[in-house]
Amino acid sequence: GEDVEQSLFLSVREGDSSVINCTYTDSSSTYLYWYKQEPGAGLQLLTYIFSNMDMKQDQRLTVLLNKKDKHLSLRIADTQTGDSAIYFCAESYSSASKIIFGSGTRLSIRP
Amino acid sequence: GAVVSQHPSWVICKSGTSVKIECRSLDFQATTMFWYRQFPKQSLMLMATSNEGSKATYEQGVEKDKFLINHASLTLSTLTVTSAHPEDSSFYICSAVSSSGNTIYFGEGSWLTVV
C-alpha cells in the first residue's frame, strides 16, 4: 500500500542546516515531492525529484533520494525564520496521479 | 502561471445544513481534480478523485452520499458537504491536473467551520 512517514518535529538554530527525512513504501512511486505549508495557508510546492534521480539542488534546497531504502530527505541550508512551516513529503505514481502525503514535519527555528 | 481557485475561502454553516465548495481551474482545462481534507495539525488526506463527466472515485472510509462531488465541466469541480456536523469542520483543498501539461496545481484551500 501507500504510506509516507515523517518525523513530526524538528528544531534548528537560525543559520544552521535543516534536514527533514521521509520514508515511503510504494516502490512504484515515480514522483517525490516536498511541499511547504505555512500556518493557515495552502500548499506551496518547493521541489520534486524523479525516482531515477539521486539528488536535486535548487538554491538553498537539496533533495536526496535513496530509492533502495525508499528514503527521501530535504536539506535547507542557512535556515531562516521564514522557513518556519510544516513540510510535507509526498509521492505519486505519475505527474497526473493522486498525491499521497506524509504526516508533515513542523520546522521551528530558534535564535 | 496556472492558478486553481477555491471558493469560498472561509465558510461557517449551521449544523445540519449543506455547504458547497468550488474548485476552479482559471487558465487551463482539468479533466481530473482531487479533493483533500486536512484536520488541524494533521496531514492532507485524499477524499476522492473527480473526473470530468463521470462519477467521482472515493477513498476508503469517505462517505460518497455525504461528500457529493460534481465535475460538470473541464474547469470546475464542486464538493458539497451535506448535513454538515461539527466534526466535518476542516480545511478542504483541491488540486487540478492540467490536461495538456500533466502537472498538478493546488488550490489555496477552504476553511469550513460547522457550528
Side-chain angles (χ1 to χ4, degrees), chain A residues 30-32 47-51 53-56 63 65 72:
Chain A
T30 305
Y31 288 74
L32 296 144
T47 186
Y48 65 93
I49 190 170
F50 298 113
S51 60
M53 298 168 63
D54 298 323
M55 185 185 86
K56 182 178 181 180
V63 178
L65 173 62
L72 185 74

Side-chain angles (χ1 to χ4, degrees), chain A residues 22-42:
Chain A
C22 167
T23 57
Y24 60 98
T25 58
D26 191 350
S27 57
S28 64
S29 298
T30 305
Y31 288 74
L32 296 144
Y33 308 87
W34 284 103
Y35 282 87
K36 177 182 180 182
Q37 185 179 38
E38 298 186 47

Side-chain angles (χ1 to χ4, degrees), chain B residues 73-104:
Chain B
S73 78
L74 286 172
T75 59
L76 175 64
S77 175
T78 60
L79 168 68
T80 301
V81 182
T82 63
S83 186
H85 289 128
E87 55 264 33
D88 297 324
S89 299
S90 185
F91 189 51
Y92 292 87
I93 305 179
C94 73
S95 65
V97 181
S98 167
S99 302
S100 59
N102 265 355
T103 305
I104 293 180

Side-chain angles (χ1 to χ4, degrees), chain B residues 51-63:
Chain B
N51 295 300
E52 188 266 335
S54 64
K55 290 184 179 180
T57 303
Y58 289 81
E59 295 298 302
Q60 192 173 4
V62 178
E63 300 174 59

Side-chain angles (χ1 to χ4, degrees), chain A residues 35 37 95-99 102, chain B residues 36 38 43 46 102 104 106:
Chain A
Y35 282 87
Q37 185 179 38
S95 61
S97 303
K98 61 184 180 182
I99 295 177
Chain B
Y36 293 83
Q38 184 182 29
S43 186
L46 179 67
N102 265 355
I104 293 180
F106 279 84

Side-chain angles (χ1 to χ4, degrees), chain B residues 35-56:
Chain B
W35 284 98
Y36 293 83
R37 178 171 54 185
Q38 184 182 29
F39 291 112
K41 299 185 179 180
Q42 294 189 25
S43 186
L44 286 84
M45 300 303 297
L46 179 67
M47 298 176 68
T49 302
S50 168
N51 295 300
E52 188 266 335
S54 64
K55 290 184 179 180

